[in-house]
Amino acid sequence: MTRKASAEACANIALIKYWGKRDAERHLPCNGSISLALADLRTVTTVAIDPSLTADTLALDGHPASAAELGRLGKVLRPLRERAGETACVRVESVNYFPTAAGLASSAAGFAALALAAAAAYDLTLDEPELSRLARIGSGSACRSVPGGWAEWHAGTDPAGLDSFATRLAPPDHWDLRVMVGLVATGPKAVGSGAGMAGTVATSPFYAGWLQGVAEDLPVARAAILARDFDTLGEAAERSCLRMHGSMLGAVPPLLYWQPATIAVMQAVWQWRQEGLPCFFTIDAGPNVKVFCPAAVAADVERRMKFIPGVTGVRASGPGQGVALSKAHLF
Amino acid sequence: MTRKASAEACANIALIKYWGKRDAERHLPCNGSISLALADLRTVTTVAIDPSLTADTLALDGHPASAAELGRLGKVLRPLRERAGETACVRVESVNYFPTAAGLASSAAGFAALALAAAAAYDLTLDEPELSRLARIGSGSACRSVPGGWAEWHAGTDPAGLDSFATRLAPPDHWDLRVMVGLVATGPKAVGSGAGMAGTVATSPFYAGWLQGVAEDLPVARAAILARDFDTLGEAAERSCLRMHGSMLGAVPPLLYWQPATIAVMQAVWQWRQEGLPCFFTIDAGPNVKVFCPAAVAADVERRMKFIPGVTGVRASGPGQGVALSKAHLF
């Protein structure tokens, strides 16, 4: 007989960006970050403990996972197995309800859901910081999908990462902003964000300046979210985004995740704002542009984005919840 | 009777970029730079001393100059008048043989030609460092158009700028590279390079890193030019370009000179190089992309560039000479 659990988590979009690790194995960041979870970019993950298996299995959107992905799965399962005193293998399936590997941080939702589903399958009860740290071991930004809503990942200083997890700044319904994810290209990235961070930290003369800027922007963004100050949050978010991408341009070899349409969306957002439409953008380690706006103008922003040459689609989302158990299993 | 002289100068494209002034009035740079003059992007300037005038006049491409442009003219003429003991006003006309104010550094060629033509009209003989410093007073990068060919602008440390001028690294025929200027947009810039530099120096946390990078790249580029080492020069030039633009992205407000087609050309160049075509790019404070390549593949590069969506034209050029007197007057 197998024990089985499923969990659902949302992707999250960083407003103050995470860029650079002080410990690549544990995904310990050099800087703190602040994010919003997105209700409509969800992952469901089911974990079943199956003593008949001779190795863990992992299927992502119905396809068998790579050896690297299985390795990350093992890193998350290991502490749970130790704690539960279990050795049996697991079958894991995960389904993303949005395009994967295109700067949309599907791994964040996936590892947050995995952490909770696996803990539940092993019949372990972890508190939120424990779950957040566990998700972080799979994918750094996944720790922010655990509390969901408006969340802050505290960089921490502990070499083992005990103080490096995310907490909730405000619940999803604190501020009904909408995020329009402008899809520019959905193919796999040329350089993964892990390698991109490592290259930036090791070779970009801008990295010290990046850290200095984040330290200034974190309290600004935190206060702006709590005060629902759209303009201040937007300025801080665009600053953080452009500095992250600027720091990459300084690396050897340089990192440029943008496509022509990425520039087109950025310029359009600046133009719309001049015209009085409240909106701001952020861009992760990929070509897609995420545009934030108040719910009242979301339809207008979405319509305008679809007219930009090179934008192949727009996915709208509101603020999302933290990770939660699901009664609907994938298998 | 009027005394009249004309001079011709080439624009120049920096391979190691000039970005940031330590003295805005004297155009004294924070960092040294290295450039190539472009034979086919020329300016001809005629200066006539005319005692009947009550004020200096300046026509640029047949249009009366703005008050700001007249102010810059006056700054260049002042030291010559003092030295010549003259007070008479001048009539100046300047014609650019390339699109102006689109990141193509028309002011560099213009002020180099002005410095020589005005000196000659006042019957003064200035040596090359004197001419280079004089041109610099009009427009910083103009000092590099005085020696022409492969030139280096020494940042200098003198508060009065006596050691801040350009010298020739190698004559134009040292290395027959071609430059393809890919025109993306020829309208005036949103933020002039002077304001862009000031904003970057004052607000970008990347500026210290920028200076550190240039200090490393200057000797690399200098040696690569002397050794005709295309790959090393290309790497250094792209690194300098991307770091200049990266430093701007860190400014408050951020500076983004790129258009969608700017990205398209950069990506095309990287793709062509992977295919074995030797080429590299650089981009100034504007959207145009300049692609460098050996003369043997210039036609191929030019043809490919014209096919890139958003590229409205390509201007090809070889290495250009320094400023020289011209017998053909504009009036």
Side-chain angles (χ1 to χ4, degrees):
Chain A
M1 188 207 135
T2 61
R3 284 166 292 154
K4 190 191 286 190
S6 296
E8 186 175 320
C10 299
N12 70 79
I13 302 290
L15 293 153
I16 303 300
K17 296 299 192 189
Y18 156 45
W19 197 249
K21 298 174 192 183
R22 65 178 201 274
D23 182 326
E25 177 64 19
R26 291 182 176 85
H27 297 151
L28 298 178
C30 296
N31 64 274
S33 51
I34 289 176
S35 63
L36 177 63
L38 300 190
D40 299 276
L41 302 179
R42 293 172 305 117
T43 296
V44 175
T45 299
T46 297
V47 175
I49 299 170
D50 185 346
S52 72
L53 291 173
T54 56
D56 296 328
T57 68
L58 172 61
L60 297 172
D61 287 328
H63 303 288
S66 67
E69 289 161 337
L70 276 168
R72 294 168 84 186
L73 170 68
K75 281 176 64 182
V76 174
L77 294 175
R78 197 169 305 126
L80 294 174
R81 284 180 170 142
E82 286 173 9
R83 191 150 154 177
E86 298 255 11
T87 54
C89 292
V90 295
R91 174 181 169 195
V92 181
E93 295 201 12
S94 192
V95 172
N96 292 312
Y97 293 95
F98 53 96
T100 53
L104 288 181
S106 60
S107 65
F111 281 104
L114 172 69
L116 180 57
Y122 284 117
D123 209 19
L124 296 169
T125 304
L126 276 60
D127 64 17
E128 192 177 278
E130 286 174 318
L131 272 179
S132 181
R133 284 198 299 265
L134 186 62
R136 191 204 73 219
I137 290 171
S139 170
S141 58
C143 73
R144 297 187 309 239
S145 284
V146 169
W150 302 88
E152 177 166 1
W153 178 7
H154 311 279
T157 55
D158 177 36
L162 288 174
D163 56 358
S164 188
F165 56 87
T167 56
R168 181 175 275 195
L169 280 174
D173 61 2
H174 164 71
W175 194 6
D176 191 17
L177 294 192
R178 298 299 159 91
V179 183
M180 305 291 146
V181 179
L183 300 174
V184 166
T186 52
K189 300 183 256 191
V191 178
S193 61
M197 287 187 200
T200 306
V201 174
T203 67
S204 175
F206 298 155
Y207 196 69
W210 159 254
L211 291 180
Q212 176 197 321
V214 176
E216 291 165 12
D217 282 338
L218 279 170
V220 172
R222 201 183 293 135
I225 288 167
L226 295 178
R228 299 186 191 88
D229 179 345
F230 187 86
D231 292 350
T232 301
L233 181 61
E235 275 174 29
E238 290 189 356
R239 192 162 56 232
S240 184
C241 160
L242 293 172
R243 285 179 175 173
M244 181 179 86
H245 287 272
S247 76
M248 300 178 196
L249 289 177
V252 183
L255 287 157
L256 176 68
Y257 286 101
W258 297 347
Q259 293 286 338
T262 310
I263 298 275
V265 178
M266 292 161 69
Q267 290 177 332
V269 164
W270 286 333
Q271 176 63 34
W272 299 339
R273 206 156 64 213
Q274 273 199 326
E275 294 165 16
L277 189 70
C279 53
F280 64 82
F281 64 77
T282 189
I283 308 162
D284 293 305
N288 299 317
V289 185
K290 291 90 175 180
V291 181
F292 284 67
C293 62
V297 300
D300 191 9
V301 168
E302 182 174 3
R303 189 180 47 75
R304 291 176 186 230
M305 284 177 73
K306 286 178 175 166
F307 275 100
I308 298 173
V311 172
T312 56
V314 179
R315 282 294 293 263
S317 183
Q321 300 287 347
V323 67
L325 288 170
S326 167
K327 293 211 173 78
H329 304 305
L330 290 173
F331 59 89
Chain B
M1 186 206 135
T2 60
R3 285 167 293 154
K4 188 191 289 189
S6 296
E8 187 175 319
C10 298
N12 70 79
I13 302 291
L15 293 153
I16 302 299
K17 297 298 193 191
Y18 156 46
W19 198 249
K21 299 173 193 184
R22 65 178 201 273
D23 182 326
E25 177 64 19
R26 291 183 176 87
H27 297 151
L28 298 179
C30 297
N31 65 275
S33 52
I34 289 177
S35 63
L36 177 63
L38 301 190
D40 300 276
L41 301 180
R42 293 172 306 116
T43 296
V44 174
T45 300
T46 297
V47 175
I49 299 170
D50 185 345
S52 72
L53 292 173
T54 56
D56 297 326
T57 68
L58 171 61
L60 297 172
D61 287 328
H63 303 288
S66 67
E69 289 161 336
L70 277 167
R72 293 168 85 187
L73 171 69
K75 281 177 63 182
V76 174
L77 293 174
R78 198 170 304 125
L80 294 174
R81 284 177 169 141
E82 286 174 6
R83 189 149 155 180
E86 298 256 9
T87 54
C89 291
V90 296
R91 174 183 168 193
V92 180
E93 296 201 9
S94 192
V95 172
N96 291 312
Y97 293 97
F98 53 97
T100 53
L104 288 181
S106 59
S107 64
F111 281 104
L114 172 70
L116 180 58
Y122 283 118
D123 209 20
L124 296 169
T125 304
L126 276 61
D127 63 18
E128 193 176 276
E130 287 175 317
L131 273 178
S132 181
R133 284 196 299 265
L134 187 61
R136 190 205 74 219
I137 290 170
S139 170
S141 58
C143 74
R144 296 187 308 238
S145 285
V146 169
W150 301 88
E152 177 166 1
W153 178 7
H154 311 279
T157 56
D158 177 36
L162 288 174
D163 56 357
S164 187
F165 56 88
T167 55
R168 180 174 277 195
L169 280 175
D173 60 3
H174 164 71
W175 194 7
D176 191 17
L177 294 191
R178 298 300 159 88
V179 183
M180 305 292 146
V181 180
L183 300 174
V184 165
T186 52
K189 301 182 257 193
V191 177
S193 60
M197 285 186 201
T200 306
V201 173
T203 66
S204 175
F206 299 156
Y207 197 70
W210 159 254
L211 291 179
Q212 175 196 323
V214 176
E216 291 165 11
D217 282 338
L218 279 170
V220 171
R222 201 184 293 134
I225 289 167
L226 295 178
R228 299 185 192 88
D229 178 344
F230 187 85
D231 293 348
T232 301
L233 181 61
E235 276 174 30
E238 289 189 357
R239 190 162 57 233
S240 183
C241 159
L242 293 173
R243 285 179 175 172
M244 181 178 87
H245 287 272
S247 76
M248 301 177 196
L249 289 178
V252 183
L255 286 157
L256 176 67
Y257 287 102
W258 297 347
Q259 293 287 337
T262 310
I263 298 274
V265 178
M266 293 162 69
Q267 289 177 331
V269 164
W270 286 334
Q271 176 63 35
W272 299 339
R273 206 157 63 212
Q274 273 198 326
E275 295 166 15
L277 189 70
C279 55
F280 65 83
F281 64 77
T282 190
I283 308 162
D284 292 306
N288 298 315
V289 185
K290 291 88 175 182
V291 181
F292 285 66
C293 62
V297 301
D300 190 10
V301 169
E302 183 174 1
R303 188 179 48 75
R304 290 174 186 232
M305 284 177 73
K306 286 178 176 166
F307 276 100
I308 297 173
V311 172
T312 56
V314 180
R315 282 294 294 262
S317 183
Q321 300 287 345
V323 68
L325 288 171
S326 165
K327 293 209 172 80
H329 303 304
L330 291 173
F331 59 89

